[in-house]
Amino acid sequence: MTGSKYLSDHLGPLRRFLRRRSPPQASQVGQPWNDVYSQLCQRLDPSTMAGQHVIGHVWGMWK
């Protein structure tokens, strides 16, 4: 695909955030959604397209 552009999502950091197992940052699995969302919003701005896009991936992973 010479000369063309395409989007590529790198979701590894998001997956690690949601699944991490070692302290001090414990796994998000089993945590209340409001707590997880709050932590995401500390790192992302949900009012931007990029923030909304990443949070949308969380919903995709959740299902």
Side-chain angles (χ1 to χ4, degrees), residues 1-3 5 7 9 12 15 22 31-32 34 39-43 46-47 49 51 53-54 60-61 63:
M1 294 186 136
T2 305
K5 293 185 179 183
L7 296 176
D9 287 331
R15 287 187 188 105
S22 60
Q31 298 300 314
N34 288 343
Q39 289 182 37
L40 280 171
C41 290
Q42 289 175 6
R43 293 165 174 80
S47 67
M49 287 299 292
H53 181 79
V54 172
M61 291 174 183
K63 294 181 179 183

Side-chain angles (χ1 to χ4, degrees), residues 2-8 10 13 17 19 23-24 28 40-42 45-46 48-49 52 56:
T2 305
S4 65
K5 293 185 179 183
Y6 61 93
L7 296 176
S8 175
H10 300 283
F17 169 77
R19 296 181 183 161
Q28 304 305 315
L40 280 171
C41 290
Q42 289 175 6
D45 184 353
T48 65
M49 287 299 292
Q52 291 172 15

Side-chain angles (χ1 to χ4, degrees), residues 11-44:
L11 301 176
L14 178 59
R15 287 187 188 105
R16 282 191 300 275
F17 169 77
L18 295 172
R19 296 181 183 161
R20 61 188 169 202
R21 292 187 174 93
S22 60
Q25 302 140 340
S27 172
Q28 304 305 315
V29 175
Q31 298 300 314
W33 169 248
N34 288 343
D35 294 347
V36 175
Y37 185 78
S38 176
Q39 289 182 37
L40 280 171
C41 290
Q42 289 175 6
R43 293 165 174 80
L44 304 168

